[in-house]
Structure formats: structure tokens, C-alpha cells
Amino acid sequence: MAKEESKYGFKDRAKAEESLELLKSEDPKYQQLTVRGLIGRAKRVLTLTKAEDKVANIKAAIETFEQWLEANSTASSTKNAKPKDSEEKVETVPGLGFKDKQAAEQTLKILEDRDPDYQKLAIKGLLGSAKRVLPATKNPEKLKSIKEAMELFTDFLDQFDREERGKQNMPYLSIELIKQLPKPKDHVDSLAKEFLNCYQTVAKGNYKHLRTKAPTSSDSDADPKPTWDIVRNRKLRELKPDSSVKLFDSDGKPTERHLQLVQWAYSPQVEKLKSFLAKQPAKAEPSNDRKRSRTSSSSEEEAPRKGKDAESSKDGARKKLKK
């Protein structure tokens, strides 16, 4: 039996955390490969599992492994292997920690106005790290400080779930989709333009990079200045209409307000946007017949000119002979 099959598992969150603890003594590359392998196997098992409680447990294990990957993918990447695009280095948000209550409060402050999904992921990741550190911590004061930080994080997660903040997450549209849509006609937002430029050229379509990139044109007095993910969420809260505001006109075209949201890489109705694009006529390339027609027309236009030039040359020669 393979090593990871005998020692590591994914039946529930506790087993996933136990597996991660066992992996700490292994080579970083082996850790990465094992965790990715466990996630892949867990997802395959999910498709065959019918019992709701087992499905929930496996999903919790997958979430635990994915949080670990989020925190460890850059640190344990191999030196010699070239990373794939999907595994490119993403800078971590600085300042997050769990060493004491003050560090936990600072962490929650740093996470304010960021994507709710990321807030939860970051806090759960820190809680998991804190739990793994506790057994190795002997100093009573340090133990007390870490437990106080963990208590704050636990309270945050309880409130997060109670208020269903996950529903407030505003997923990012892809750059490819944004490019295909028209721009707002009546509202030119230079900050939105700078955001899209950063999203496309600096972040290369990976929204995770926006967590550590700030606008160059920001007039905020805050230090450090708010990063693009925070700026975007604040702007979208201003723009996001209530249910009474139409996002498509009678012809199925996105309204001006909807296109403003799109400039911040968001739409509450992504599938309808895609349906609108699917109905648009494709831009036709010039056919071969048209190209041939243009070529032949050019040739026909050139032919008379050549004939006239030849006649002129003959007339000139005759005049010289007469002289």
C-alpha cells in the first residue's frame, strides 16, 4: 500500500488536519504532491458518495487541504521546476498573524473590506496554523497569547457564518469576458480604467494578485494605501443597485449601470451577460472571394495606366523621328 494511503486521509476535517501534521516532517516537494494527490482523490470519491454527512465531511477535508496549499504553495515550490501558470507565485497579504490578541486584532483590521471568501479562508488558515503550533509551544505565556488570538478568530468565523457574509462575495469576471462587452457611454471612470489595466497587465487576469497591488493614483491618507481588492469592493458597494434597478434593457443589452459594474470585473448576472454576447453577430473576416475581387480590381486599375504610359512613350518616340 502506498505511503499516503496508509498514513494520510480525507474522510473529514480532523483526518485532513492530522495528515497535514504528519506531513510536516516530510520534504516540502513531497508535502505539495501528497496534498494535491489527496485533493484529487477526495474529489473523485465525492462523485461516488451519496450520504450527505459523508459528503460534508469530505468537502471539509478538501477545504482544509486547499487552505494549506494557499498558504504553502509559494514557500514549498521546488527550486528547479518551472511553475505552471496555475501555480504562479502569489504574494501573501503582509501583517497577518496569531501570536497574541493584538496580532489577531491587527489581522482582522487588515482583512476589512477584502473579499469575504478570502477573509474566511485566511482566518481558517491561521486557526489551523495556530492549532499546529500549540503542541510545540511550552511557554505558558505564549500558549495563553495564542489561545486568546484563536478565540478572536473563532468568534469572527461564528459571526461570519451567522451573518452569512459569504453571500456578499462579488466574484471576478474574466478579462476575456470584459473585453467583449461594450464600455459605459456616459460614465468615464479613470480609476476603473486603472483597475482593469492592473488586472490585465500586472495581475495577468489572476485576481489574487490584486490583494497586494495598490492604485498609483490613490488619494487615500491611509498607510499603507488600500489595495485594489479593497478599492474594488468599496466601489462596487457604491454602484451595486438594489433589485428594483434593471441590469438589461428590453433588447437584452446590459444597461449603463451594469456596464459600470463590469468595469470593476463584476456582474450579478453573468450567465445573462454571456447569453447577450452569444447572440451578437460575429465580426466577419474578409472572404477569399472579396480578397480576389480587390486584387483583380487593383490589377484592372493598373492595366489602363500601363497602357497610357506605353502610348505616351510611343508618341514621344514618333515626335523625335519627325524632328
Side-chain angles (χ1 to χ4, degrees):
M1 185 176 287
K3 188 176 183 179
E4 62 268 24
E5 291 180 344
S6 60
K7 293 174 63 175
Y8 315 124
F10 50 80
K11 71 175 183 178
D12 54 26
R13 190 183 301 280
K15 185 62 179 176
E17 290 174 349
E18 179 189 334
S19 299
L20 291 172
E21 189 65 31
L22 290 169
L23 278 167
K24 286 170 70 174
S25 61
E26 301 289 351
D27 176 76
K29 182 179 179 182
Y30 179 79
Q31 292 179 28
Q32 286 274 326
L33 292 173
T34 302
V35 171
R36 291 183 186 282
L38 286 166
I39 290 174
R41 285 169 51 209
K43 287 181 177 178
R44 289 194 293 274
V45 169
L46 265 186
T47 62
L48 304 172
T49 305
K50 305 298 180 186
E52 290 184 5
D53 57 335
K54 289 185 178 180
V55 168
N57 285 336
I58 294 172
K59 284 183 176 179
I62 291 173
E63 184 181 35
T64 301
F65 288 138
E66 288 178 339
Q67 288 169 1
W68 183 90
L69 281 178
E70 176 89 13
N72 293 275
S73 59
T74 59
S76 56
S77 59
T78 57
K79 294 180 181 179
N80 298 324
K82 185 178 180 182
K84 298 177 182 177
D85 291 341
S86 60
E87 299 172 7
E88 64 181 323
K89 180 178 179 180
V90 176
E91 292 180 55
T92 56
V93 173
L96 307 185
F98 57 83
K99 70 175 183 178
D100 53 28
K101 186 177 180 180
Q102 185 179 356
E105 290 172 343
Q106 176 68 12
T107 293
L108 295 177
K109 184 71 177 173
I110 290 170
L111 291 173
E112 277 182 13
D113 288 332
R114 296 185 185 272
D115 302 328
D117 279 359
Y118 176 65
Q119 291 183 29
K120 185 174 184 179
L121 180 71
I123 294 300
K124 291 186 83 169
L126 288 167
L127 261 178
S129 298
K131 287 176 183 176
R132 290 192 289 274
V133 166
L134 279 180
T137 305
K138 306 303 179 186
N139 186 302
E141 286 300 316
K142 287 184 178 179
L143 273 173
K144 181 184 175 184
S145 296
I146 293 172
K147 286 179 179 178
E148 287 176 348
M150 292 173 67
E151 187 177 352
L152 265 183
F153 289 154
T154 302
D155 289 345
F156 170 86
L157 290 176
D158 288 343
Q159 187 174 2
F160 187 99
D161 291 337
R162 194 165 54 248
E163 296 176 358
E164 297 184 322
R165 293 183 192 172
K167 293 182 178 179
Q168 300 169 15
N169 204 63
M170 294 178 280
Y172 289 73
L173 296 176
S174 70
I175 286 292
E176 291 72 22
L177 182 60
I178 297 169
K179 283 181 177 179
Q180 297 176 63
L181 291 161
K183 293 180 180 178
K185 292 180 180 177
D186 303 327
H187 298 83
V188 178
D189 189 336
S190 59
L191 192 60
K193 187 176 180 181
E194 186 184 346
F195 163 78
L196 282 180
N197 182 59
C198 180
Y199 185 26
Q200 179 178 354
T201 60
V202 180
K204 301 188 185 305
N206 185 345
Y207 68 88
K208 294 178 183 179
H209 289 294
L210 300 175
R211 298 171 190 159
T212 53
K213 310 297 179 188
T216 57
S217 59
S218 174
D219 56 359
S220 172
D221 294 330
D223 185 27
K225 294 185 183 300
T227 49
W228 273 122
D229 58 333
I230 295 173
V231 172
R232 171 186 183 261
N233 288 337
R234 289 175 179 172
K235 190 71 176 180
L236 284 174
R237 279 201 294 272
E238 294 174 13
L239 291 171
K240 197 174 180 182
D242 58 36
S243 56
S244 65
V245 177
K246 290 184 178 181
L247 294 176
F248 294 89
D249 63 20
S250 56
D251 297 324
K253 182 179 178 181
T255 60
E256 184 78 359
R257 174 65 70 87
H258 197 167
L259 293 176
Q260 286 178 260
L261 297 175
V262 168
Q263 296 305 293
W264 289 98
Y266 174 69
S267 169
Q269 299 186 32
V270 181
E271 293 308 315
K272 284 190 73 173
L273 269 185
K274 291 179 179 178
S275 297
F276 162 74
L277 286 173
K279 293 174 184 175
Q280 302 310 299
K283 293 180 180 179
E285 290 291 326
S287 66
N288 290 333
D289 290 340
R290 286 181 183 174
K291 288 178 183 177
R292 281 196 293 270
S293 175
R294 286 201 206 106
T295 305
S296 58
S297 297
S298 299
S299 301
E300 287 167 6
E301 288 171 4
E302 288 295 325
R305 288 198 196 104
K306 288 178 181 178
K308 288 176 182 177
D309 291 343
E311 287 297 325
S312 299
S313 298
K314 288 179 182 178
D315 290 341
R318 288 194 197 99
K319 288 176 182 177
K320 286 179 182 178
L321 287 171
K322 286 179 181 178
K323 289 179 182 178

